[in-house]
Structures are given as structure tokens and as C-alpha cells.
């Protein structure tokens, strides 16, 4: 110890210049010298340690073990570091333990053996190691893949990959280290993101890209990769940290949401979302904007009440109340919707409630039902029209049946007289056998012929009427000689003349041909002449006049007969109507009715003038084809 005391100044000077703690012990394990750093480290004053046993610098729990080491150390007596690979601890004066590293250097001086221990307080270093361990553990615990690449080596090899990286990619760490990250892209390296990332690496800046990456088993996954450079003190990029975030699920979810959003927007139905409290629209789809003519921005200032003229705020809130208190899941109704331009259209509305972040919303899906309404209205009209047609057909059928019944009773009545006349005359003709009785025979034969004509006339009327009723009557136009027709009609009418009656008819029609329906013209003239004969007394004159003009022909039949009572005149063309002054004369009341119908169907008209006891004049006008 004296040796060191003697030379303490020299030792001090030398040992303080060394930046490690130096403690020298003798064979008895007594401290003979300690430099400034050692005193500082253990918390002792200058020289305080000298003479103290080394043990005071060793924590109680390690003292025994230390003693054993010392023994073996002295046996080997070599220069070495203590406790390699193990943690050593020192004890400060204040009893605080701290980690240290010790290097032992034995030496001999003046026959004594000493050991110089170089002591380093590794508290800070341990802290750093601890920290690094913690960081590594944290990196390994991270859910994102983390890699560190060395930017100073060619092709930037991976020098660190955490556990999550292995989990995400399926590549074990040993297969990852030393490789460039591009192996994750396989052949699929022509990607926008890849280019962007290499660009960022080149420029030494950070970036975030989405890449198509492939796991070891070949499965594709979308990887959101963020890279950031690590710079050294001079600003040079030494490493890149890469963070891998597999986002396949998120992308799929985003795609799904995107798809749903486009369905919402592209739907041709109108879809509205509005706040249940303020009723203001929050969102409306494209269809709603198109149908109403409002833009989204305009809609956001409106409520459903602006579009639904049939509701007041009170009635609307009452309508949606069951949705809001949960008593109903859905409300459907029909109403009208008003466009921006004020026009309206019928709609079917479906309402549902929905919650978005504690805010209650109403979703309205609205269908334009104009077409459906139009279709229903059209259908209703068609049904109405058909019903009318059926009613008319039924009516006609009924009338026809009535007509037949009436005709049967008419026939039985009307046919009786002419038939009995024909029978009587036929019987009498047989009795006039003598040659000079020809005049009498002719008289009876004329009665028979007249009777047959009368019956034929009734039948003609009836058949014509029935055909017309059934709509089967087809008018047949032809060119025919007017004089031939008039002669035939007058000839037949002459058969019915009473004694002294005379029909005068025009002679100016000899070479006239007209284009008309000959049968109808015949039916019309026959009826009117027969009536004139029937309703005029004996010895009276009947006039038939014909006026031919450019586009029409006018017939006039004038008699000096019983005339038609004023009060009956308006019913004269009604079917079966007969005036009260003719009830003792035979007739059916259908002649004038069918004549008027046919004449009008041909585009002509019929009228009359009549005074009771003086006579009647019937005028018929028929159009002519040029
Ligand atoms: P009817 O078989 O009874 O003659 P019409 O239809 O030909 O049937 O005539 C209808 C009614 O019109 C007759 O019943 C009669 O009362 C009246 N009438 C028609 N023509 C004459 C006429 N020339 N003079 C008087 N009355 C007529």
C-alpha cells in the first residue's frame, strides 16, 4: 500500500486521465488505489476507498460468489474480463446497486501482487439494451408488418422483419432477411404503387401506396405499404422503415359500400333520407333529383312537405309517428308528388326509419305510378265502354224479341183481313163460270192480287226492319232507271186504290237514271204511296212529284186525306205509333219508322206537312252521286 501512497500523485494523474474507473487491490483484497472515476461511480470521496476491503463495493448477495471467483482467478492469474456473459453488479456507498463491467489486470510490483480492475458503469448501456429489447418486442407485437431495409447496401436488403410480417406474408424471417422487398410482388410488378414507391425511395422521402402482394402460398392480398427514411446525423438516408397493412378485407368492404352507394344513387326510384326531427332532407338520390327537378343542394333546404301538397306538417308528423315510436316498421301510402315546376304526379311512398350515429332518419322510397294509374283508368274506361256496348246489345236483343212478339200479334191480326178477302174472292171466282162473267172474275182476281201485295208489303217492312236492327243491312248502290221504278211502285199502288182514287205521277223522268239504292227507294215510295191511298177517301187525287237536282233528288207525295192530328205529329216516326184517327184502318206503325231510318242512313231526310181533314204531304230528299 505504501508503494501506492508513495506514488499516489503519479497514479492519480495517470489514472484520472483514463475515462474508466480504476481500482487496484492487493492480494488481501484490500483497495490500495481508486481513481476519480471509480470514486464517482461508487459515490465515495477522494481517498475514502483506500484501505477498504473490496467487498464494500460488492452487493451482499454476490459477495460469496465473488470470493470463489477470486480464488480461481489467482490460481490462473491472467488478464481477463470478469464475468463474461453474466451480469455483474456494484454497490454504491448509498447502497444502490448498479450494473458494471470489470476487466482484471494482474501485475506485480516490488514483490507484491496486485490486481488492477478497470470498472465501467454500464447502467446507461444496459438501459439502451433494455430499450432496444423493448422496441423489438413492441415491433414484434405490432399487428402491422414492419421491415427495415438497409439503404446503404446495394439493392436495399431487408435487415429486420417483425413477427407480423411473417404472419401476413407467410415467409419465415430467415427467408426474408437479405432480400429486397420486391419478392412480395411476384411477377406482378408493373403497378402504379410500385413505381410511386421506388420514386420515393430514390428521393429519400416517405410515401404510402396500395400494392397487390402475394403470400408465400401465392394468395393475392392488398397491402397498404408506408415507407419512411431514417437519416443519419449528416442527413443521409441509411435505412427505410416499411409498415405493411393488409387491407384486402377493408378494400372489399369499401367496394361493397361503394356498390351499395351506387345502387342508391342509380336507382330509378326516388330515394330520400331525411331527419326525423327537422324533416330536412339529408340525402336524395339521382332519381329523386331527376324526377323532381331539384338539385341535391336545393333538396337539403327542403322537407317532404315541400313535395307533398296533400299533407300539412301536423298530418305528416302524425303519419310518421308510429315509425318513430317503433310501433310500425314500415308505412306505405299513395299520394301526389309536386315537382319544382309545380306539376304533380301520382306516387306510391314507402317509409322506413333508420338510425345514423344516434340521429333518427326516415328513408323514403317513392315510385311514380302514373303509368299504373293511367292503365287503371284506361282499363276502367274500356270496361265502361264494353259494358255500354253489352247493354246496348242486350237492349237491341230485347227490342227484337218485343218486335217479334209484336209482329206475331200484328201478323195474326193484319194477315186475317187480307187472307179472308183472298179466300172469299177465290171462292167467288170459282162461281162465275159463264163466259160473260169475266168482269166479275177480274174484280175478284184484283182483290186477290191486292191482298197478296198487301201481305208482301207487311213482310217486306218487317224483314227490312229486322235486318236493320241486326245491323246487317248493307246498302247496295246501282244505276237504275227512275221511270221504271216509279211505274212499278205506282202500278202496285194502283191495285190498292179505292174507287175513284187516282195517282198522278211525273212524266218528266222518262230517260232519267239515278245512282242510288234501288230497293230502299222502292220501299220508301211504296210505303208513302200506300199510306196516301190508305188514309185518303174515295174519289180523291194523289200526287207524286219528283225533282231532280245536281246533287239530290226530291220526292213529294201529296194526298187530300184525313191528315194527322197535331198532337200526334211528333210521334209519327216512332215505331208502332199510329195516330188516333187511323185506329179503324189496318196498319202496323212500322212503315214510316223504317223509311226514316233508311233515308237517314243514306244521307237523306224525310219530313211532312199535314192538316187534319185536309191532307198530308210527305217530302223525301236523297243525295245523288254524280
Ligand atoms: P201504318 O201501318 O199505321 O200506316 P206507318 O208507319 O206507315 O204505319 O204510319 C204511321 C202512322 O202515320 C199511321 O198509323 C198514321 O196515323 C199516320 N200516317 C201516315 N201517313 C199518313 C197519311 N198520308 N195521312 C194520314 N196519316 C198518315
Amino acid at each position: 500500500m505504501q508503494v501506492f501512497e508513495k506514488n499516489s500523485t503519479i497514479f492519480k494523474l495517470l489514472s484520472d486521465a483514463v475515462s474508466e474507473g480504476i481500482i487496484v487491490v492487493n492480494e488481501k483484497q484490500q483497495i490500495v488505489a481508486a481513481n476519480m472515476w471509480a470514486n464517482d461511480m461508487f459515490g465515495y470521496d477522494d481517498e475514502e476507498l483506500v484501505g477498504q476491503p473490496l467487498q464494500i463495493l460488492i452487493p451482499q448477495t454476490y459477495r460469496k460468489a465473488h470470493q470463489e471467483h477470486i480464488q480461481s482467478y489467482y490460481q490462473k492469474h491472467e488478464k481477463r474480463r470478469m464475468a463474461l456473459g453474466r451480469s455483474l453488479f456494484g454497490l454504491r456507498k448509498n447502497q444502490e446497486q448498479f450494473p458494471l463491467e470489470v476487466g482484471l489486470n494482474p501485475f506485480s510490483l516490488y514483490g507484491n501482487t496486485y490486481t488492477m480492475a478497470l470498472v465501467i458503469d454500464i447502467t446507461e448501456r444496459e438501459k439502451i439494451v433494455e430499450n432496444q429489447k423493448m422496441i423489438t418486442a413492441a415491433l414484434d407485437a405490432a399487428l402491422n408488418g414492419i421491415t427495415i431495409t438497409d439503404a446503404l447496401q446495394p439493392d436495399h436488403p431487408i435487415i429486420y422483419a417483425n413477427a407480423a410480417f411473417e404472419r401476413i406474408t407467410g415467409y419465415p424471417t430467415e427467408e426474408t432477411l437479405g432480400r429486397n422487398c420486391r419478392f412480395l410482388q411476384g411477377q406482378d410488378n408493373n403497378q402504379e404503387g410500385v413505381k410511386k414507391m421506388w420514386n420515393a425511395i430514390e428521393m429519400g422521402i416517405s410515401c404510402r401506396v396500395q400494392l397487390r402482394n402475394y403470400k408465400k402460398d401465392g394468395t393475392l392480398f392488398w397491402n397498404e405499404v408506408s415507407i419512411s427514411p431514417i437519416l443519419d446525423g449528416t442527413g443521409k438516408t441509411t435505412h427505410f422503415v416499411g409498415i405493411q397493412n393488409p387491407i384486402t378485407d377493408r378494400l372489399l368492404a369499401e367496394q361493397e359500400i361503394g356498390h351499395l352507394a351506387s345502387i342508391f344513387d342509380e336507382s330509378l326510384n326516388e330515394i330520400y333520407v331525411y331527419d326525423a326531427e327537422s324533416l330536412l332532407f339529408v340525402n336524395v338520390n339521382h332519381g329523386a333529383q331527376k324526377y323532381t327537378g331539384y338539385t341535391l343542394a336545393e333538396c337539403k333546404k327542403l322537407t317532404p312537405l315541400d313535395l307533398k301538397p296533400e299533407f300539412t306538417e301536423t298530418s305528416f308528423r302524425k303519419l310518421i309517428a308510429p315509425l318513430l315510436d317503433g310501433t310500425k316498421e314500415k308505412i306505405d301510402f299513395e299520394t301526389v308528388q309536386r315537382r319544382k315546376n309545380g306539376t304533380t304526379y301520382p306516387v306510391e311512398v314507402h317509409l322506413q326509419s333508420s338510425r345514423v350515429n344516434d340521429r333518427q332518419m326516415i328513408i323514403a322510397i317513392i315510385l311514380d305510378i302514373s303509368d299504373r294509374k293511367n292503365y287503371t283508368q284506361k282499363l276502367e274506361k274500356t270496361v265502361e265502354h264494353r259494358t255500354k256496348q253489352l247493354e246496348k246489345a242486350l237492349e237491341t236483343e230485347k227490342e227484337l224479341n218485343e218486335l217479334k212478339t209484336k209482329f206475331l200479334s200484328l201478323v195474326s191480326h193484319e194477315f186475317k183481313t187480307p187472307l179472308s178477302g183472298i179466300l172469299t174472292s177465290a171462292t167467288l171466282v170459282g162461281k162465275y163460270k159463264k163466259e160473260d162473267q169475266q168482269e166479275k172474275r177480274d174484280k175478284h182476281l184484283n182483290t186477290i192480287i191486292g191482298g197478296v201485295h198487301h201481305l208482301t208489303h207487311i213482310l217486306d217492312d218487317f224483314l227490312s226492319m229486322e235486318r236493320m236492327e241486326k245491323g246487317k243491312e248493307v246498302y247496295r248502290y246501282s244505276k237504275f232507271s227512275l221511270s221504271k221504278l216509279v211505274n212499278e211502285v205506282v202500278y202496285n199502288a194502283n191495285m190498292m186504290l179505292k174507287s175513284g182514287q187516282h195517282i198522278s205521277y211525273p212524266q218528266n223522268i222518262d230517260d232519267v237514271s239515278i245512282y242510288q239504292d234501288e230497293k230502299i227507294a222502292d220501299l220508301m215510295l211504296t210505303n208513302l204511296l200506300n199510306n196516301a191511298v190508305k188514309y185518303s177517301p174515295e174519289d180523291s187525287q194523289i200526287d207524286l212529284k219528283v225533282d231532280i237536282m245536281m246533287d239530290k233528288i226530291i220526292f213529294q207525295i201529296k194526298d187530300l186525306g184525313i191528315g194527322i192530328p197535331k198532337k200526334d205529329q211528333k210521334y209519327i216516326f216512332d215505331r208502332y205509333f199510329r195516330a188516333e184517327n187511323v185506329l179503324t184502318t189496318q196498319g202496323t206503325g212500322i212503315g214510316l219508322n223504317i223509311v226514316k231510318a233508311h233515308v237517314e242512313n243514306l244521307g237523306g231526310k224525310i219530313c211532312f206537312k199535314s192538316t187534319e181533314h185536309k191532307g198530308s204531304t210527305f217530302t223525301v230528299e236523297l243525295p245523288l252521286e254524280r
Side-chain angles (χ1 to χ4, degrees):
M1 216 190 293
Q2 279 114 2
V3 178
F4 279 90
E5 278 165 6
K6 271 186 224 157
N7 299 298
S8 67
T9 323
I10 300 163
F11 172 77
K12 233 176 152 29
L13 280 173
L14 287 175
S15 64
D16 285 354
V18 179
S19 60
E20 289 170 335
I22 297 177
I23 296 170
V24 183
V25 294
N26 60 17
E27 282 177 359
K28 292 178 194 156
Q29 295 293 301
Q30 268 181 323
I31 297 167
V32 294
N35 74 345
M36 178 181 86
W37 301 107
N39 288 331
D40 264 9
M41 199 183 300
F42 287 95
Y44 289 91
D45 291 334
D46 200 13
E47 296 298 321
E48 197 181 349
L49 279 173
V50 176
Q52 297 290 341
L54 180 65
Q55 292 283 8
I56 64 159
L57 300 181
I58 298 168
Q60 186 66 44
T61 42
Y62 297 105
R63 281 180 191 167
K64 194 166 171 268
H66 180 252
Q67 204 56 46
E68 284 161 14
H69 282 300
I70 295 291
Q71 296 307 324
S72 74
Y73 166 72
Y74 279 116
Q75 277 157 20
K76 288 181 192 154
H77 214 73
E78 57 186 3
K79 176 180 172 178
R80 60 167 221 175
R81 268 172 80 188
M82 267 187 88
L84 258 181
R86 276 186 300 116
S87 308
L88 277 183
F89 290 91
L91 183 68
R92 296 194 217 274
K93 190 180 176 187
N94 64 6
Q95 297 304 304
E96 184 193 343
Q97 285 189 28
F98 66 98
L100 46 71
E101 203 176 82
V102 183
L104 299 179
N105 304 276
F107 64 96
S108 297
L109 193 65
Y110 308 122
N112 291 318
T113 304
Y114 300 95
T115 300
M116 180 171 74
L118 293 172
V119 185
I120 305 168
D121 181 344
I122 58 168
T123 309
E124 286 309 312
R125 204 209 300 165
E126 285 282 275
K127 260 191 200 160
I128 292 169
V129 171
E130 270 314 301
N131 258 350
Q132 269 174 352
K133 273 191 195 159
M134 209 162 71
I135 290 170
T136 311
L139 289 178
D140 276 342
L143 291 174
N144 289 333
I146 297 170
T147 52
I148 299 173
T149 54
D150 188 342
L152 299 177
Q153 288 190 54
D155 208 26
H156 297 198
I158 297 174
I159 56 164
Y160 170 80
N162 73 344
F165 183 85
E166 181 172 336
R167 216 169 37 240
I168 292 166
T169 63
Y171 286 99
T173 310
E174 58 270 24
E175 286 182 37
T176 306
L177 297 181
R179 298 173 78 179
N180 181 284
C181 283
R182 78 171 73 82
F183 71 91
L184 286 177
Q185 293 139 29
Q187 305 293 319
D188 186 6
N189 45 22
N190 190 16
Q191 300 183 37
E192 265 316 295
V194 171
K195 286 177 201 153
K196 198 173 155 194
M197 189 170 68
W198 283 115
N199 212 18
I201 291 173
E202 198 112 297
M203 294 170 71
I205 54 172
S206 25
C207 80
R208 178 185 292 182
V209 290
Q210 290 183 357
L211 302 177
R212 283 188 300 277
N213 280 173
Y214 297 85
K215 297 186 185 183
K216 193 180 178 190
D217 66 7
T219 322
L220 165 82
F221 68 100
W222 279 94
N223 198 358
E224 188 179 74
V225 180
S226 311
I227 58 164
S228 324
I230 295 175
L231 311 180
D232 66 7
T234 66
K236 188 172 172 192
T237 304
T238 57
H239 298 85
F240 274 98
V241 176
I243 297 175
Q244 345 269 324
N245 186 13
I247 52 164
T248 310
D249 290 349
R250 192 180 85 195
L251 274 191
L252 288 178
E254 276 173 8
Q255 274 175 5
E256 208 165 301
I257 290 171
H259 186 208
L260 288 176
S262 64
I263 289 175
F264 170 84
D265 207 44
E266 286 163 17
S267 166
L268 290 178
N269 293 328
E270 300 167 45
I271 305 177
Y272 301 81
V273 181
Y274 52 89
D275 188 284
E277 213 169 287
S278 67
L279 299 183
L280 281 169
F281 290 121
V282 176
N283 202 352
V284 308
N285 76 338
H286 187 68
Q289 296 168 46
K290 189 174 139 194
Y291 282 106
T292 60
Y294 287 109
T295 63
L296 179 61
E298 287 171 326
C299 280
K300 286 186 174 178
K301 291 180 195 142
L302 303 178
T303 72
L305 297 168
D306 295 301
L307 304 183
K308 294 189 171 49
E310 287 183 345
F311 285 92
T312 62
E313 184 172 345
T314 317
S315 65
F316 193 72
R317 284 196 188 275
K318 202 172 158 196
L319 174 83
I320 61 170
L323 276 187
L324 305 186
D325 64 20
T327 44
K328 270 191 189 174
E329 275 192 328
K330 199 173 167 234
I331 293 176
D332 305 324
F333 60 97
E334 284 186 11
T335 181
V336 290
Q337 182 102 316
R338 184 168 50 206
R339 297 186 183 91
K340 188 180 176 184
N341 66 11
T343 54
T344 57
Y345 55 105
V347 290
E348 186 178 282
V349 183
H350 300 265
L351 299 182
Q352 257 178 283
S353 113
S354 168
R355 271 193 175 277
V356 181
N357 301 336
D358 270 2
R359 196 169 159 198
Q360 195 160 20
M361 304 280 190
I362 304 274
I363 296 162
I365 298 177
I366 292 184
L367 319 176
D368 179 346
I369 52 168
S370 306
D371 287 349
R372 200 202 296 168
K373 282 264 159 173
N374 284 347
Y375 177 73
T376 315
Q377 276 172 4
K378 227 169 143 185
L379 202 71
E380 277 169 5
K381 269 196 183 142
T382 313
V383 169
E384 203 179 311
H385 181 66
R386 293 268 154 80
T387 312
K388 269 191 186 147
Q389 277 182 335
L390 281 174
E391 276 171 357
K392 208 174 156 196
L394 197 72
E395 194 63 31
T396 313
E397 192 66 31
K398 257 166 131 182
E399 271 182 28
L400 210 63
N401 277 340
E402 266 175 36
L403 185 77
K404 281 176 186 165
T405 324
K406 217 155 187 170
F407 177 71
L408 282 178
S409 70
L410 271 174
V411 162
S412 48
H413 183 254
E414 286 300 303
F415 277 34
K416 240 182 205 162
T417 322
L419 282 175
S420 72
I422 290 167
L423 188 64
T424 314
S425 294
T427 316
L428 292 174
V429 163
K431 288 186 178 166
Y432 298 116
K433 288 177 180 155
K434 290 180 190 157
E435 207 168 307
D436 59 348
Q437 288 178 317
Q438 184 58 33
E439 201 180 323
K440 290 189 173 165
R441 280 196 293 273
D442 282 347
K443 189 187 157 211
H444 287 294
L445 285 173
N446 274 344
T447 310
I448 291 171
I449 292 169
V452 170
H453 272 296
H454 184 58
L455 294 175
T456 313
H457 173 66
I458 293 174
L459 280 175
D460 279 351
D461 274 1
F462 177 74
L463 289 175
S464 176
M465 179 173 67
E466 199 195 13
R467 269 211 303 275
M468 197 169 64
E469 287 299 335
K470 286 187 172 170
K472 279 184 193 160
E473 186 74 45
V474 180
Y475 298 100
R476 281 188 201 87
Y477 289 83
S478 62
K479 203 172 173 186
F480 59 89
S481 155
L482 186 60
S483 60
K484 185 174 161 266
L485 172 76
V486 170
N487 282 336
E488 271 172 22
V489 173
V490 173
Y491 178 81
N492 287 333
N494 278 340
M495 305 281 189
M496 326 262 295
L497 289 182
K498 294 173 186 160
S499 123
Q501 278 185 330
H502 177 257
I503 300 176
S504 76
Y505 65 98
Q507 304 301 321
N508 61 338
I509 53 170
D510 276 357
D511 299 319
V512 178
S513 288
I514 61 166
Y515 187 76
Q516 250 301 344
D517 187 315
E518 190 178 356
K519 261 194 154 168
I520 300 300
D522 185 327
L523 182 93
M524 178 269 291
L525 282 177
T526 306
N527 258 294
L528 296 180
L529 271 181
N530 285 357
N531 280 350
V533 172
K534 221 166 31 167
Y535 302 120
S536 313
E538 294 181 348
D539 302 316
S540 66
Q541 170 81 13
I542 292 157
D543 288 329
L544 168 60
K545 272 193 195 163
V546 179
D547 267 336
I548 306 163
M549 300 182 179
M550 286 288 281
D551 55 347
K552 59 186 174 189
I553 181 165
I554 299 171
F555 298 95
Q556 210 175 55
I557 294 98
K558 184 182 172 193
D559 66 65
L560 302 168
I562 60 172
I564 304 163
K566 192 119 194 114
K567 67 174 175 59
D568 289 340
Q569 287 189 4
K570 55 178 179 282
Y571 307 112
I572 221 70
F573 294 108
D574 290 357
R575 186 173 296 170
Y576 308 124
F577 182 82
R578 308 199 68 222
E580 61 174 16
N581 59 343
V582 299
L583 297 182
T584 53
T585 319
Q586 280 198 333
T588 60
I590 57 179
L592 284 185
N593 175 263
I594 56 171
V595 166
K596 182 172 162 50
H598 285 308
V599 165
E600 285 175 356
N601 284 348
L602 290 172
K605 45 192 177 193
I606 179 168
C607 58
F608 69 92
K609 277 195 174 139
S610 182
T611 313
E612 223 181 336
H613 310 301
K614 286 200 170 158
S616 313
T617 304
F618 281 83
T619 309
V620 173
E621 209 179 282
L622 282 177
L624 285 182
E625 293 283 322
R626 276 193 203 172

